[in-house]
Structure formats: structure tokens, C-alpha cells
Amino acid sequence: MADTADLVVLVADPAGFAAELFRINHETSLTVLLREALLHYRRDPGWFEVTVRGNRYYACQLVTIPLLVFIKKRVHARQLQAAAERTLAQLSMYSDTADPDAWIMINAHFFSPLPRPCVNLWQARKLKNSLEKAIFTDPGEYAGPEKNPALPAVKNTVEGAGENVSTTQRKRKNGPDAEKVMARVMLGWRVRDICEEQHCSEAYVYNLIKKRKGKSAMDYRWKQWELISVMYHTEPKMTLEEIEKACGVTRAGIYHAIRKIAERDGKEITPREREKKLTQEDVETIKQKLSQGMLRKDILAEYRISAETLIRYIGTRDEHRVIPGELKEIAVRLRVQGKTIQQTADILGVNLDWVKKAWREKKDSSVIKEKRVKYDNRNVLSKRDRDQAVNAVLRDGHTRKQIYTQYGINALTLRRYIRDAQKRETEALKEEGKDSDQHNEK
């Protein structure tokens, strides 16, 4: 990179290549690739800044197979198209492994006046290491889109037309695009979503995958299940949220994949071990090691715990306060007595999430259901206040909200008071009716 390139395309090993484009020689190809990068870059990790050999670039990552197909079909630079076609042919041999990363780097001066992207040191270091191993190829001269020769006026037969009509003209109008279908398959789209977008049948997608890759869609599905199972049983353990984000599946999909792989291999599904509990001596020792400069990852490896467990005991800051487990029983007791989550948190001096988690663990037990006073009797009224509140609603016409706000009770408590008063009044009327009937009989 003696001269500062305006745009650099990089496909990492295996079967990788790199190319530098300059606005003077490759203006058309540079424009097309820049538009592709702005529209279809990966949102994770997104755009970030990287410095290579003293020059500042803005870099982004693209999906490898669609980018190579795009270069082969749309970027009309001879040698760059040849490199993309050669890489695609080599990638077909590595179908069982992950595709190499593909990057586009744009000169920061060329990219202005757009705002500067974020700083991602890990991605920048990864890109630099891949760039040092890459072999740069010249994009080549602009070839221009290939044009089919016009049909001669004399040849109007079916045979002559069949020889000159392009494959795109033979394609059914508004029909599926095979290249787009395969690009979405490699991106991990569901077959149902591909069919809805391309207006085709599921059989067409399955047959196309079988024709292009020599494997059925079920083979790819089993490979995804194997990947999920490996990630689930790996050490150190990955959380289910991390697996969901990495594979783009739901929690039920993770369990389904693990069950399928276990049934195929004839293994029993062993539940995950519970997180190791640290003693008070361990906590003090860890705090001392952190103060001496020991890294958290070394502590995780030494005590065989996850980062979440370390944060729960130590916290992310020095002033982090660890909530003792004895407060859980008090929190449950307050909730059973009818205190709200906010009231319980204020009484104990903890946050709402901690109270919700403590209550979620105990609320479904039979003992708690028997003892619990649900949303009631939080501020028990005397008989005089209770009668006044009921009469204000039933006789004086006040709204219920005015009354339960005035007396400091909730709506369900006031509703129970009104229901009990109406029930007593109904029973009194029944008794009066019985007495009057007995008196008339005499």
C-alpha cells in the first residue's frame, strides 16, 4: 500500500485475496462497491475506524458469499472478477467450515463529511492481522457489462432465437432469482421467509440447494443443530442468550437442537451444572487479588466460575454492595403480607429487580399460595371508616378512585368492602322478608 488507496476489498484466508481501488482508475467499480458496503454491511460489528500503515480507514464487514457473487456479477473489473470467481470455486470445497471474513475499508478522507464511526480495537486488530497475510491483486481494467449480440433479421427461427436469448430473458417474469435465493440460504434465512420474498415454492429452494451444494436442506439443518449442541456443552459455558444471539434461534430452538443431537448420538441429556457458590473467604481473597492487579479472566479460570457469578459476588465496581441471602425470606414475607414490590424494595433498601427475582422463586409454591393476601389489606380500615367509604360510593355518588385515594387503600380492597356491605344488606332483607311472612301466617 505505497499509495493510499480509496477503497480496499479484503477476503481473509482460506482462499482469500485483497484488492486496492483508486478513484482515478476504478471510479465505476469503486462507486458500486461503496454503495454495496453502505447498504448491506453487517450491523454487528458495524462501521469502525482502523489505522493501517499510517493511513486512517473506515471499515465494515460484509457477508462473504453474497459479496463475492456481487463482485462476480456487478463489478466489471477483469482481474477482480476473476479473483472472486476463483475464491467462490475454492469455497465450495470448504462447505463444512465457516466462510472466511470479508471486509471493505474506505479511506477516511474519501468518506468525509460523514460522522466518524466508533472505535473497536478488537475488530481493528483482527483486520490488521488478516491484512498483513493477504496477497494484493490488481483489480484490472474496466470491462463493462457483457452485451448479447443482436439477432439478425434473417434468423427468425426457433433455433436461432434459442441460441441468442440470454438466460435472464428466459426467466419467468417476477420469478425467483437463484442467486438471491442462495445468498439468503447462506445468510441463514428460513426457507419459508425466502419463499415469501422470492415468490417461489419450498420445493424450488430445496432443489436449488441440492443442485448448487450437493446437499439437502436437512443436512444444513443438522449442521446447525450440531453447532448449537457444541456451543451449549462447551467450556467455559456460554449463556443461552449468547447462543440465541449468535445462531439467531429461539430458546425452544436451542432445546430442540440439543434433544435431536442427543437422540442421534444415543446420549443422555445432562442438565447444566449449577453455578458454583463462593464462600465469604473466597470473596475476600478475590477482592484482594483484584486490588493487587490480577485480571478477572484469570480469576474466572482459577475458580471455574462464569463472569455473571463473579459480578454477583464482587460487582463491577468497588462500591458494589452484595445483598445477603437472608433478605430474600424477609422480602417474601413482606409480599405475603400484601406489600407491593415497590414498598418491599423501599423497606429493605434494595432495587426492584432483586425483589422481583426473589418473589418469582417462591410465589408459585403451595405454602405461599395459602398464606398470601393478594393485593388486599395493605391498610386495614376501622369499621367506622369502612362504612363511611362504602356509603360515600353507594349513596353519595363519589367515585371509587376518590375514596380509595383518600383512605389510602387500593381499588381491590374497596371493592371487597363494597361487596361485603351489599352481601350483608341482602341477607338483612331476606331476614326481614322471612319475619314478615311468619307474622302474616300467625
Side-chain angles (χ1 to χ4, degrees):
M1 295 173 61
D3 297 328
T4 304
D6 296 315
L7 186 141
V8 179
V9 181
L10 171 65
V11 179
D13 290 333
F17 68 92
E20 296 175 308
L21 285 84
F22 300 87
R23 72 184 77 184
I24 299 176
N25 302 327
H26 320 99
E27 182 178 359
T28 305
S29 302
L30 187 148
T31 304
V32 175
L33 280 170
L34 177 58
R35 186 184 300 112
E36 175 73 7
L38 290 175
L39 294 178
H40 299 103
Y41 69 94
R42 283 191 175 182
R43 299 307 186 264
D44 185 13
W47 286 91
F48 59 92
E49 185 176 339
V50 58
T51 303
V52 180
R53 300 182 185 178
N55 300 320
R56 223 161 36 90
Y57 288 91
Y58 295 160
C60 70
Q61 186 176 2
L62 282 80
V63 185
T64 308
I65 300 295
L67 174 63
L68 294 175
V69 173
F70 179 83
I71 294 175
K72 178 183 175 182
K73 299 290 185 181
R74 301 288 299 277
V75 182
H76 301 291
R78 294 184 186 278
Q79 297 182 22
L80 189 58
Q81 283 183 332
E85 188 173 359
R86 183 178 62 254
T87 305
L88 280 172
Q90 295 180 13
L91 285 182
S92 62
M93 300 168 56
Y94 299 95
S95 58
D96 293 337
T97 60
D99 295 331
D101 294 332
W103 306 88
I104 282 185
M105 299 165 48
I106 301 169
N107 195 307
H109 301 291
F110 178 80
F111 211 51
S112 60
L114 294 180
R116 295 182 60 178
C118 64
V119 176
N120 193 327
L121 298 179
W122 187 84
Q123 292 288 349
R125 192 181 306 112
K126 177 182 177 182
L127 179 55
K128 286 182 182 179
N129 294 336
S130 181
L131 199 60
E132 291 175 356
K133 303 175 184 177
I135 301 176
F136 284 86
T137 179
D138 185 76
E141 298 179 357
Y142 180 73
E146 296 182 358
K147 296 182 179 179
N148 294 318
L151 292 175
V154 179
K155 287 189 176 182
N156 197 17
T157 60
V158 177
E159 182 180 357
E163 293 175 356
N164 293 282
V165 176
S166 63
T167 56
T168 56
Q169 293 175 345
R170 291 174 183 169
K171 189 179 68 172
R172 178 170 55 88
K173 186 178 181 181
N174 296 329
D177 188 343
E179 299 296 339
K180 288 185 178 180
V181 171
M182 287 305 302
R184 279 146 181 74
V185 169
M186 301 308 296
L187 284 173
W189 282 37
R190 294 188 308 173
V191 176
R192 188 182 307 168
D193 298 336
I194 297 175
C195 295
E196 291 179 359
E197 188 201 52
Q198 296 295 324
H199 306 290
C200 61
S201 63
E202 294 185 6
Y204 172 82
V205 178
Y206 292 137
N207 291 334
L208 184 63
I209 295 174
K210 184 71 174 179
K211 180 180 178 182
R212 294 288 184 91
K213 290 292 185 178
K215 296 182 179 180
S216 64
M218 197 63 199
D219 294 335
Y220 282 100
R221 194 171 301 165
W222 276 104
K223 287 186 178 297
Q224 186 186 32
W225 289 345
E226 290 176 356
L227 176 63
I228 293 174
S229 179
V230 170
M231 295 172 68
Y232 182 82
H233 296 292
T234 188
E235 291 290 342
K237 296 184 181 299
M238 294 180 63
T239 63
L240 295 177
E241 290 78 10
E242 292 174 347
I243 300 177
E244 289 175 359
K245 184 178 180 181
C247 299
V249 294
T250 61
R251 187 70 57 88
I254 295 175
Y255 293 140
H256 178 73
I258 296 169
R259 185 167 57 251
K260 284 291 184 180
I261 297 299
E263 292 175 357
R264 187 195 66 179
D265 299 340
K267 297 180 180 179
E268 295 184 359
I269 302 176
T270 56
R272 284 192 167 189
E273 298 179 358
R274 294 189 175 181
E275 287 291 343
K276 180 181 177 181
K277 293 183 178 180
L278 299 177
T279 62
Q280 188 62 33
E281 292 77 8
D282 294 335
V283 173
E284 298 298 332
T285 305
I286 291 174
K287 288 182 178 180
Q288 184 179 0
K289 290 182 178 180
L290 287 175
S291 62
Q292 294 174 356
M294 188 174 181
L295 297 179
R296 285 179 173 251
K297 65 177 183 179
D298 297 334
I299 293 177
L300 298 180
E302 179 181 351
Y303 286 88
R304 298 180 62 83
I305 57 176
S306 64
E308 290 76 9
T309 303
L310 183 62
I311 292 174
R312 185 167 67 249
Y313 283 95
I314 307 299
T316 57
R317 304 175 306 275
D318 295 337
E319 64 271 14
H320 177 78
R321 182 172 66 91
V322 180
I323 302 175
E326 294 78 10
L327 287 182
K328 287 187 177 180
E329 298 180 1
I330 303 176
V332 172
R333 191 182 308 122
L334 291 174
R335 291 288 289 141
V336 167
Q337 293 173 359
K339 299 296 183 183
T340 63
I341 296 177
Q342 184 64 57
Q343 290 174 339
T344 305
D346 294 340
I347 293 173
L348 299 179
V350 296
N351 53 33
L352 291 176
D353 293 334
W354 185 87
V355 178
K356 290 178 181 179
K357 184 177 180 180
W359 176 242
R360 195 184 303 119
E361 295 174 356
K362 299 290 184 180
K363 68 177 182 179
D364 294 329
S365 64
S366 58
V367 178
I368 296 300
K369 287 183 178 180
E370 292 177 0
K371 296 181 178 180
R372 182 182 177 189
V373 183
K374 186 177 181 180
Y375 303 118
D376 203 358
N377 293 339
R378 296 177 184 171
N379 187 8
V380 183
L381 299 181
S382 63
K383 185 178 183 305
R384 177 175 175 275
D385 292 339
R386 185 166 62 245
D387 294 340
Q388 286 183 351
V390 171
N391 293 334
V393 174
L394 297 180
R395 298 180 183 179
D396 299 337
H398 293 280
T399 63
R400 298 192 178 200
K401 184 176 181 180
Q402 291 174 341
I403 299 305
Y404 67 66
T405 303
Q406 175 183 350
Y407 284 91
I409 58 178
N410 56 25
L412 294 180
T413 304
L414 179 60
R415 185 185 305 169
R416 185 176 65 86
Y417 290 158
I418 294 175
R419 189 164 53 245
D420 292 343
Q422 291 175 341
K423 184 177 180 180
R424 289 195 301 269
E425 187 176 355
T426 303
E427 291 176 353
L429 291 175
K430 288 181 180 179
E431 292 294 334
E432 290 180 2
K434 289 181 182 180
D435 295 340
S436 61
D437 292 341
Q438 293 176 0
H439 181 72
N440 292 334
E441 289 177 358
K442 293 179 180 180

